[in-house]
Each structure stands twice: as structure tokens, then as C-alpha cells.
Amino acid sequence: MATRSDIAVTPLPLAARQSQRPSSHHDGSPPTSFRNPWPSSQPIGLAKIISTRFLRSADKNNVPVPTDRKGLVTVRKPNWGMNSPDNLKATWIGHASFLVETQCLPGRARGLRILLDPVFSERTSPSQWFGPKRYTPTPCAVDELPDVDIITISHNHYDHCDSWTILEVWRASKARNRTPLIACALGNRAFFTNLLPDLATEDIIELDWWDGVQIDIKDIGSMELICTPAQHTSARGPNDKDKSLWCSWIIREAKTEGRSPKSLFFAGDTGYRHVNSAKPTDEEEDSMPHCPAFKEIGDTYGPFDLALLPIGLYSPRDFMSSVHCAPEDSVCIHQDIKSKKSIGMHYGTVRGGISAYYEDVLEPPARWKAEGEKKGLKWGEDIGLCDVGETVVV
Ligand SMILES: [Zn+2]
């Protein structure tokens, strides 16, 4: 891999259990498109998309977002955890956007900063004239972000990969004489080279599932970044369905004398099992095959000190379950990956194109808490939530 004077990127050997694996999520060699290679994922046809959006009515639950914000996520001004230099930190920017900072090493000014799926736009859509509109503001402007070392994107959907935000972060970084690395999954490189004409080959890392790199940044520190599976899909328009890969990410601090390195799992956007009913019974949920990738992630790289897991935009279940977790699924992922603490995300910020007609925005956090407690997890310790702008410290 190309190396910059300030950053060295070194491929990691494949984890032992993955090294003999055929690339069953690839279509073609080299791949021209991708798929979820598990029975826990079922394709949704165009007829189902149209009927779910426009025709079904019996199970629609069109509850408006509370105009007085009662029960909605609190937004606070971020301080990025600056008073906790000896911890791994994650600050929620809303939806699936986080700024993660690793522990600050002795003699350094700060830890490594990774900006995950940053979205600051008003709408998660190809245009700012239409499409899902955010109902919870961002906690700060792009220019108020601290210096960023790495931008990671989990997949190319508009609520995770926002051209305007990436351009703004890039512009703000360049104004401070910094060039962040961009990390994405296979098939996403062309999007970034088109978006950022001055993006150099060594500024972008494109990885397949289970690939990882060690990143050493001069005068700041080192970490490992590993691209891991998710059960999802991709597209930005009508002609690019599944032509780029989707992923989750693992961030592992490097081993340093006198410090125990921490690790973080970011699920991106993912489903866990497919169910056939809009409102499935517990028996139906339990009988459907689970996505095996999360147990593999837990067995290979767990336990994790912190996991950021999606808990919203799952209704109606028969339509969304293959690609979006319900809170009950996310509690299973918390256990599969061996997370010590999981924070819910992907809720409370913007309504999805379909879920807006079926899901009360107050439901995901309540179900996340209820399911965790049903499984014996301690609320606020094992699993929990945070405010937009709040920093979770582990
Ligand atoms: Zn998505």
C-alpha cells in the first residue's frame, strides 16, 4: 500500500479462521457486485417495495414526530471527551455518525480520531429538495469538528455516505493543512475519486470483508482498522444496486506499554434475520436463521469494549428485517460479538423512506431497553443510549 510521510498503512494478515474462506459475498472475479451469503437475508422485489410504500395500509402506524420534541433525543454541545484522554471515546453526531478518539499516548497531544459515516446534511437523499429530512439537528457544524485523521464509510446509502459532508470535512481539513485517510469497502473507491479530485492513491484504503490494516500516524499513535461483514445492501441510484460492498468496522488500539488497548465495533447498517410477518411473534423471530457473521466477529476479534449498534428504522419487519435490525436483533448482536457495552444508534435523527409510515420514532429506544433487561443486561452499563453530542467513554 502507498505510504504518506505522515501516515503508514500496513496490511494485517488475515485472521486465522478467515484465511481459507472463499469469497462467497462476491459476484464475479474480480467482483462486479456483492451479496449477503446467508439464509438470514432474503431479497425484496420491486412489487413488494411498491406495495409496502403505497398500497398497504392495515399495519401502517403513521405517528408524527412530536413537534415539542417530548421523548426525543436531547442534543448537547459536544466537548469530544477532552477531559478523558486515557479512554477510548465515541461522540454521537446523530443517526450513524460518530467521532471516535483512541486513548492519548504519553507525550502526545491527543489520540487518533476516526469520523464514522458522517452526515451533516438536512436531508439523506440525492437532493436537498426532497427525501427524508432530519428532525434532530446536528450538535455542531462541520467546522467545529476537531482535526480528523480517518473518515470511514460503511456503505454508500445517503444516510451514511453524504457527499456534501465529506466535501466539507475535506475542505475544513485542507484549510488546517491536514489530509484525512478515507477507508471504505470494495467498490467504493470510484465514488471518492470522483468526489474529491485531489484525492491521492495513498489517501484511500479500500478493503474487503475481513481485510485489515495497521495505521500509524506520526506523532499521534497507531491502531488497527478491520473491515468486517454486515447484512445489508448498497445503491445511490437505479443502476448501481449492490455494485459496491457494505461493511462494519473494528477499531483496535495498538498495544502500548502500560496501557490496555481498547477495541470498538461499529455495525454500520445491518440486518440480523429475515422474518415473514410485519409483526412477527417471538416464536417466528426465534425460528428464523441468524446472520452468522456476528458470532464469527465475536469469536475472532471479541470481546469489544464498546459497540455502536443500529436500533431503528426496522418497520415493517417483513420488509426491513433483512437489512435493518430491530432492537431485539441488536441485543443478539451485542451478545454474539461479546460486547461489554453497546450504544444504540441509527434512530432518533431522520426517518427512513419506508419506516416513516410504519414506525413511531419513540419506539426503538424503549424496545432496546426492554429487550436488554429481558435478557438480563444492565441498562446504562451493558447496553444504553446517549444524547446527540454526548461522548461515551470506556
Ligand atoms: Zn443503508
Side-chain angles (χ1 to χ4, degrees), residues 154-160 232-234 269-270 323-324 346:
S154 65
H155 67 300
N156 72 359
H157 284 155
Y158 290 91
D159 57 329
H160 295 255
H232 201 59
T233 176
S234 70
D269 218 353
T270 189
V323 294
H324 280 173
H346 203 269

Side-chain angles (χ1 to χ4, degrees), residues 65 69 72 95 119-138 158-159 313 348-353 356-357 361:
V65 176
R69 293 198 58 81
L72 293 180
H95 200 56
V119 175
F120 281 71
S121 289
E122 268 300 288
R123 290 183 191 269
T124 54
S125 156
S127 164
Q128 288 303 300
W129 295 98
F130 59 82
K133 190 168 187 280
R134 74 166 57 241
Y135 57 86
T136 296
T138 56
Y158 290 91
D159 57 329
L313 311 188
T349 313
V350 65
R351 305 193 94 169
Y357 300 94
V361 299

